[in-house]
Amino acid sequence: MCTEPTHYILICSTCEGARNAAQLKADMSSDVPATVRFRAVDCLAGCEHPPAVGFQAHGKASYLFGGIKSSDDIRAISSFVHQYVQSATGWTSATERPSALFTKTLARLPAIAEADA
């Protein structure tokens, strides 16, 4: 049974290379819902804080985190993906996200309003 993706985790493959992006994906893959897909992308403009990891879904806020290097960071990202999938809007405050991501949040973009789509 093929599950259509509804959420995406974007991993920058530029600053630290495709091999690092593939390793981050491998480190997180076992703990993501079936509707989440990973995408390696050429640049997320988080060059000051590599590697950058983003979250996207239709109708939800998008996020960009940077400096995802330690096992604590990876666990926090893995935890956040569940929070993100379960949220109707994707919107979370800094205090609701895993504490390891508190200083790693580079951007949160609001969802595109239906009227603007």
Side-chain angles (χ1 to χ4, degrees), residues 3-43:
T3 303
E4 290 294 318
T6 57
H7 294 78
Y8 297 89
I9 297 175
L10 313 174
I11 302 174
C12 183
S13 62
T14 300
C15 291
E16 295 194 347
R19 180 174 286 158
N20 186 62
Q23 184 61 54
L24 274 174
K25 176 185 174 186
D27 291 345
M28 291 185 275
S29 288
S30 66
D31 193 34
V32 298
T35 58
V36 174
R37 294 292 183 268
F38 288 91
R39 290 179 50 215
V41 294
D42 286 337
C43 184

Side-chain angles (χ1 to χ4, degrees), residues 55-94:
F55 287 81
Q56 283 183 323
H58 292 286
K60 290 188 175 187
S62 296
Y63 287 85
L64 182 63
F65 299 101
I68 306 303
K69 295 182 179 279
S70 73
S71 57
D72 285 342
D73 297 340
I74 292 167
R75 279 192 297 277
I77 288 287
S78 294
S79 177
F80 180 73
V81 72
H82 292 279
Q83 181 181 16
Y84 188 67
V85 167
Q86 292 171 5
S87 169
T89 63
W91 198 265
T92 63
S93 69

Side-chain angles (χ1 to χ4, degrees), residues 87-103:
S87 169
T89 63
W91 198 265
T92 63
S93 69
T95 58
E96 293 171 324
R97 294 188 288 272
S99 60
L101 299 178
F102 187 75
T103 61

